[in-house]
Amino acid sequence: MKTKTTAKVLGAALLTMTLAGTATVYAEEEYTIGIEQFAEHGSLDNCREGFLEGLKEEGIEEGKNLTVEYKNAAADMGTCGQISDGFAADKVDLMVGIATPSAQSLYNAAMDAGIPVIYTAVTDPLAAELADDEGNPVGEITGTSDKLPVKQQLEMIRQMLPEAETIGIMYTTSEANSEAAVKEYEELAGEYDFKIETAGIATTADIPLAAQSLLEKVDCMTNLTDNTVVSSLPTILEMANEKKIPVFGSEIEQVKLGCLAAEGLDYIELGKQTGKMAAQVLKGEKKASELPFETIEEASLYVNTAAAEKLEIEIPEEMTETAAEVFEEITEA
């Protein structure tokens, strides 16, 4: 971390700028961080946006006292490793992993380099071996979990589809967080008189065939926060719509794209929460190893009435009235 040369103007500790009548307090130091995002889709983009906003709220802002090196791995593990090694070689002050594969890759690269890692959108840090059984970091790494509200999702699906029997889930077999989420669905499904049918994939190339097979066996599908699957959501939705099979999302962006509904998280808020944790580490207030991972406790209901109309499904009025947001059109990807 390099000390700002302009800091002497306003004293040893803080640099203050006045914007629109309010004072924004910037940290004295200048920082360089490396952000690795595993794939490009709405929820992860929102995480990144929220993360930078969270840092800004703590006085660390791109273009002021923050340099950001941003790389997208395009859902490729080999690319993940190359990006992670590059950040380590650049000796950035902090590595940021958006999604589980990126978090794991960065941590592997950061251990020898002595660089702290902050992650977000990691569904199960324990399964990903980024935290111990008590929720404490396994090293200089911490962040936020986007653990799915599975119980609320199942309740919502049952309320919306009272006659449904089988829910389909597609997931990437190499993603630890996806396997953990599938297990939770399987454990809870019986409480709502559902059966779970799964289809594992390795790459996006597997999705059309897996979706075709799954759609022959289920009454509806529900998405996880599985990055490989979500990045191909338009393909899945097109195939499901042809068969009039509803697809439920796991967060707001998926509902915008045409999923019927979701009990999901606000990923911008998740990112902000992560940014505030990162600010503590950058400022030296806490080590990453001193901060247990955090989660967002509350889920919100999002529904898409345009998707419901296309599927000829009537959403109960009480659900549209209590939803955090109702979308009346489908956004093109």
Side-chain angles (χ1 to χ4, degrees), residues 68-180:
V68 177
E69 296 182 18
Y70 167 69
K71 303 288 184 182
N72 193 298
D76 183 85
M77 288 304 301
T79 305
C80 269
Q82 294 171 9
I83 294 170
S84 301
D85 290 342
F87 287 162
D90 290 345
K91 300 187 185 303
V92 296
D93 299 314
L94 179 77
M95 296 184 187
V96 182
I98 303 179
T100 302
S102 287
Q104 293 171 318
S105 176
L106 288 173
Y107 184 52
N108 288 335
M111 282 190 288
D112 292 338
I115 299 172
V117 177
I118 299 289
Y119 57 77
T120 187
V122 172
T123 300
D124 192 339
L126 277 69
E129 300 182 346
L130 302 176
D132 63 21
D133 291 340
E134 304 300 319
N136 296 312
V138 294
E140 292 305 322
I141 181 168
T142 190
T144 56
S145 166
D146 62 345
K147 185 179 184 303
L148 291 171
V150 174
K151 186 178 179 68
Q152 294 96 313
Q153 182 87 342
L154 287 167
E155 289 174 352
M156 179 268 292
I157 296 173
R158 176 51 72 206
Q159 184 178 358
M160 199 169 287
L161 301 178
E163 304 298 323
E165 297 180 357
T166 306
I167 299 174
I169 301 176
M170 194 182 309
Y171 72 102
T172 306
T173 55
S174 60
E175 281 208 32
N177 59 320
S178 295
E179 291 188 335

Side-chain angles (χ1 to χ4, degrees), residues 87-267:
F87 287 162
D90 290 345
K91 300 187 185 303
V92 296
D93 299 314
L94 179 77
M95 296 184 187
V96 182
I98 303 179
T100 302
S102 287
Q104 293 171 318
S105 176
L106 288 173
Y107 184 52
N108 288 335
M111 282 190 288
D112 292 338
I115 299 172
V117 177
I118 299 289
Y119 57 77
T120 187
V122 172
T123 300
D124 192 339
L126 277 69
E129 300 182 346
L130 302 176
D132 63 21
D133 291 340
E134 304 300 319
N136 296 312
V138 294
E140 292 305 322
I141 181 168
T142 190
T144 56
S145 166
D146 62 345
K147 185 179 184 303
L148 291 171
V150 174
K151 186 178 179 68
Q152 294 96 313
Q153 182 87 342
L154 287 167
E155 289 174 352
M156 179 268 292
I157 296 173
R158 176 51 72 206
Q159 184 178 358
M160 199 169 287
L161 301 178
E163 304 298 323
E165 297 180 357
T166 306
I167 299 174
I169 301 176
M170 194 182 309
Y171 72 102
T172 306
T173 55
S174 60
E175 281 208 32
N177 59 320
S178 295
E179 291 188 335
V182 167
K183 183 179 179 181
E184 186 174 5
Y185 265 105
E186 291 173 337
E187 290 172 349
L188 293 174
E191 296 180 18
Y192 302 92
D193 296 322
F194 284 124
K195 295 182 293 183
I196 301 295
E197 188 78 34
T198 64
I201 63 163
T203 69
T204 54
D206 300 330
I207 285 176
L209 189 59
Q212 182 179 359
S213 174
L214 197 59
L215 289 167
E216 296 294 334
K217 307 172 187 176
V218 303
D219 300 301
C220 65
M221 289 178 61
T222 190
N223 284 327
L224 310 178
T225 52
D226 186 296
N227 299 289
T228 305
V229 174
V230 173
S231 64
S232 296
L233 183 56
T235 299
I236 297 167
L237 286 170
E238 182 179 356
M239 297 177 69
N241 286 337
E242 287 179 0
K243 294 181 175 293
K244 297 289 186 182
I245 293 178
V247 178
F248 292 91
S250 55
E251 47 81 35
I252 185 172
E253 296 299 328
Q254 295 175 29
V255 179
K256 288 180 182 178
L257 289 174
C259 286
L260 180 59
E263 280 283 353
L265 307 177
D266 185 329
Y267 275 78

Side-chain angles (χ1 to χ4, degrees), residues 26-48:
Y26 293 101
E28 177 192 4
E29 304 256 348
E30 286 187 348
Y31 309 96
T32 298
I33 65 173
I35 299 179
E36 178 183 311
Q37 184 172 312
F38 181 63
E40 187 166 352
H41 59 74
S43 57
L44 299 189
D45 292 342
N46 285 350
C47 271
R48 186 177 76 253

